[in-house]
Amino acid sequence: MEPLVCDALEYGLVGDGVTNDQPALAELVDRLGAACAEDGRRRTIRCPPGCYAIKDVGTVWRSGVSLVGAGPGATRFLLSNPGDPDSPTPLAYFTAKEHGASRDHHIADCTFAGFEIDGSAVRLAGYDPLAKGLGLQYVLRGRFRDLYIHGTAATGFGCDFLQDSIVEGVLTVGCGRLDNGHEWGGAGIGIGVGGWGASERTTITGCTAVGNGTNGIFLELQHPNWRPPRGIRVVSCHAEGNHFGISDWGADGLIVAACTMIGNLEAGFDVSARGTVGIAGRGGLLTGCVVDGNVRDGLSIGNTPGPYAVRGNRISGNGRYGFRVHNLGGAAGPSARALVLDGNEIWGNGLDGVHLDAAVVDASMVNNRIRDNGRRCEPAGFGGGAGVRYGRTCLVDPAARWVPDGLLGTTVTVGDRTAVVVGNSETELTLAPVRPGVTTAWTGEPPADGTGYRLSGAPAERAGITLAAPTHGLTIRDNRIWDGQDQPTQTHGIWLTGTGSCVSGTVEGNDLAGNAVAATRFDTAPAGGRWLRNHTLVDRPPT
């Protein structure tokens, strides 16, 4: 009878960072998995402090076997493939494609806790989605705690179809390093959903994802005929410097609460059909989060049938829009229904606080405070010559007199290279990294000092709320929309553009006093509905 707790060093593992410990680990997992299958008693492999080299092949995991270390930094698994340059070499895996994983052929009652996975030495000719830290599918009652995963070629924590499982205190840094931005996966924490049916009870809590290739944390439906599952929660997590922060690419009723999403290159929070099967999330709730300083949009909502609720968040300092509704590639799609924007603080974004670029039906914007947006107020410009200096993430022009942060989200072009401004003083631009996980805004070395540059200009209109697409049954009620800066940049409270419409809308009880140009602008006349009791909007809009 195999013992319930095994010290790895007593079963052939060495932990010296040189000896290949994978064969001994695989043999031990098989022994303990067979013992658990025979007597139903769970086993634990304890790995004392050490560096355990895992070379050329991953370990196929078994039910009832747990792997527990002495903590990240103490127990380290070093992945590499020196003998097989085509092997993705995860630490542990069990998948539908390789092993026939399914609802009826799953692994259960496994804990992975207290260790580090370093995937930086796995060298591949191209991207391989199996080059993960952990790559398990169809896991029942899984526990993943206190893990540090970094440098993997693909997703760091890439486990799909988790039922009655928890992912807690997982730190992923610089994962997806071979992802070019167009591959499947490449995330810090990536969880495929839908395999267990309409309910997948999974909690992701207290996790941190920094500088990963695509998403910090994302949920992705894995089959077009599967029903998007409910039961998934992302709580108290942090996503920073990824391409997207946290993404819902196919769940139903995803709850994202008390999270921070900052400095991500595309969007802090993304709901869209970018995933494998092209199906967006729906029915979700984003609440109590800070979505700040993302290079383009704070929240990006697209291709969803709705509903979706965004309540009680801070959405600030993003380079383009605070909250944007759009469809991928600008293609027309079905209208999103019953989107809710309720009780949020939306301020200091580069262009509009709220921008609707795709059709919505029965959306509601209520009780929000939308202020001081349109920070990107500088006109187009150029410079170069003596005194102009370039750094890895900066451009300095002593002759400039830019409005502080007046170039937020602006594109700077130097020759055939471009970078995006994430902040500026009167004479210095701070630039976003060219991709996640790097510390330079440029492909190659920075431009030579003195090289000429061009800056894209700001649009003339930058509103609190912009309706640039068809809307029907829209409610805008009891919002405060204004600009309180000494030099206001939010030109209008509400702007209905020439491409937008407002049919049968209800716009009432809003305070629109204090915008830079006017309370409203109507390039298209609203049709039907009611406009009542809006401060500074004395009369009904023109019809």
Side-chain angles (χ1 to χ4, degrees):
M1 176 177 172
E2 300 292 350
L4 300 183
V5 179
C6 299
D7 186 319
L9 299 183
E10 297 177 2
Y11 287 81
L13 281 81
V14 179
D16 62 0
V18 177
T19 303
N20 184 9
D21 287 318
Q22 192 281 328
L25 177 62
E27 181 181 357
L28 182 55
V29 168
D30 278 341
R31 285 177 58 178
L32 299 185
C36 178
E38 181 177 349
D39 62 21
R41 304 182 72 183
R42 284 46 174 162
R43 264 69 174 186
T44 298
I45 301 171
R46 291 200 176 276
C47 291
C51 295
Y52 299 85
I54 305 297
K55 300 181 181 181
D56 298 325
V57 65
T59 296
V60 181
W61 215 254
R62 298 285 297 270
S63 278
V65 181
S66 295
L67 183 65
V68 179
T75 298
R76 305 180 66 219
F77 291 97
L78 310 180
L79 311 182
S80 65
N81 59 343
D84 186 353
D86 295 324
S87 173
T89 317
L91 172 60
Y93 70 136
F94 178 76
T95 71
K97 182 178 180 180
E98 282 77 20
H99 315 110
S102 68
R103 292 192 212 180
D104 298 323
H105 181 50
H106 58 263
I107 59 174
D109 301 308
C110 300
T111 294
F112 294 82
F115 57 81
E116 175 181 342
I117 301 174
D118 181 350
S120 61
V122 174
R123 307 296 181 187
L124 299 168
Y127 183 81
D128 187 329
L130 292 179
K132 303 175 179 180
L134 293 175
L136 308 171
Q137 293 183 326
Y138 289 98
V139 180
L140 179 63
R141 296 185 297 275
R143 296 292 183 268
F144 305 89
R145 301 193 310 267
D146 191 23
L147 303 175
Y148 172 31
I149 306 174
H150 57 98
T152 55
T155 296
F157 179 91
C159 297
D160 303 335
F161 320 133
L162 306 180
Q163 188 70 292
D164 297 324
S165 296
I166 187 166
V167 181
E168 179 180 13
V170 174
L171 168 63
T172 57
V173 178
C175 298
R177 58 181 166 80
L178 292 186
D179 193 306
N180 61 11
H182 303 286
E183 304 288 354
W184 293 350
I189 297 174
I191 298 178
V193 302
W196 289 100
S199 177
E200 288 190 353
R201 301 173 293 273
T202 301
T203 298
I204 305 162
T205 183
C207 296
T208 299
V210 178
N212 298 290
T214 53
N215 292 274
I217 301 170
F218 81 118
L219 292 307
E220 180 185 44
L221 190 68
Q222 296 293 295
H223 194 285
N225 295 329
W226 286 351
R227 178 177 174 179
R230 296 160 293 160
I232 304 169
R233 299 160 297 278
V234 180
V235 182
S236 300
C237 293
H238 180 89
E240 179 176 354
N242 312 284
H243 198 71
F244 298 95
I246 298 176
S247 295
D248 181 357
W249 292 354
D252 182 6
L254 174 67
I255 296 173
V256 179
C259 294
T260 48
M261 292 157 264
I262 65 175
N264 299 287
L265 302 191
E266 184 67 26
F269 182 70
D270 184 69
V271 179
S272 72
R274 297 177 190 270
T276 304
V277 298
I279 294 176
R282 72 284 312 275
L285 171 64
L286 180 79
T287 185
C289 296
V290 173
V291 187
D292 180 72
N294 297 287
V295 176
R296 289 188 172 86
D297 300 327
L299 276 68
S300 179
I301 311 291
N303 310 100
T304 179
Y308 228 97
V310 177
R311 287 195 169 97
N313 303 282
R314 169 184 160 182
I315 306 168
S316 59
N318 301 290
R320 188 164 55 185
Y321 305 119
F323 175 92
R324 183 189 185 201
V325 178
H326 71 111
N327 288 326
L328 294 179
S335 300
R337 292 182 173 270
L339 302 182
V340 175
L341 196 61
D342 179 8
N344 300 281
E345 289 280 334
I346 304 174
W347 53 271
N349 298 289
L351 298 179
D352 307 327
V354 177
H355 187 94
L356 303 188
D357 241 350
V360 299
V361 174
D362 295 332
S364 295
M365 304 179 196
V366 296
N367 299 313
N368 301 286
R369 287 164 49 88
I370 305 173
R371 60 184 172 87
D372 303 349
N373 295 290
R375 297 298 299 276
R376 191 194 303 177
C377 59
E378 282 279 355
F382 60 91
V388 171
R389 305 191 311 277
Y390 293 90
R392 293 177 64 81
T393 57
C394 69
L395 185 165
V396 178
D397 187 346
R401 292 298 179 266
W402 296 310
V403 174
D405 286 338
L407 291 163
L408 179 63
T410 293
T411 298
V412 55
T413 301
V414 183
D416 61 354
R417 293 189 285 177
T418 61
V420 179
V421 178
V422 294
N424 67 274
S425 65
E426 286 191 345
T427 59
E428 181 171 348
L429 307 180
T430 301
L431 307 175
V434 67
R435 63 180 183 275
V438 302
T439 57
T440 180
W442 312 101
T443 53
E445 292 299 314
D449 290 348
T451 304
Y453 65 84
R454 291 179 288 111
L455 297 167
S456 60
E461 287 76 33
R462 305 174 301 275
I465 297 175
T466 293
L467 310 181
T471 71
H472 189 281
L474 173 66
T475 297
I476 303 177
R477 178 185 289 131
D478 296 334
N479 300 283
R480 176 76 170 99
I481 310 173
W482 83 107
D483 194 319
Q485 302 173 91
D486 292 339
Q487 297 180 332
T489 57
Q490 181 172 291
T491 59
H492 300 83
I494 300 174
W495 177 25
L496 180 52
T497 76
T499 59
S501 67
C502 183
V503 177
S504 301
T506 298
V507 182
E508 60 185 12
N510 301 287
D511 187 345
L512 305 172
N515 291 282
V517 175
T520 55
R521 172 170 171 162
F522 298 99
D523 297 339
T524 301
R530 62 182 185 270
W531 292 62
L532 301 170
R533 298 182 293 103
N534 296 293
H535 184 49
T536 71
L537 184 60
V538 178
D539 299 318
R540 178 184 172 84
T543 58

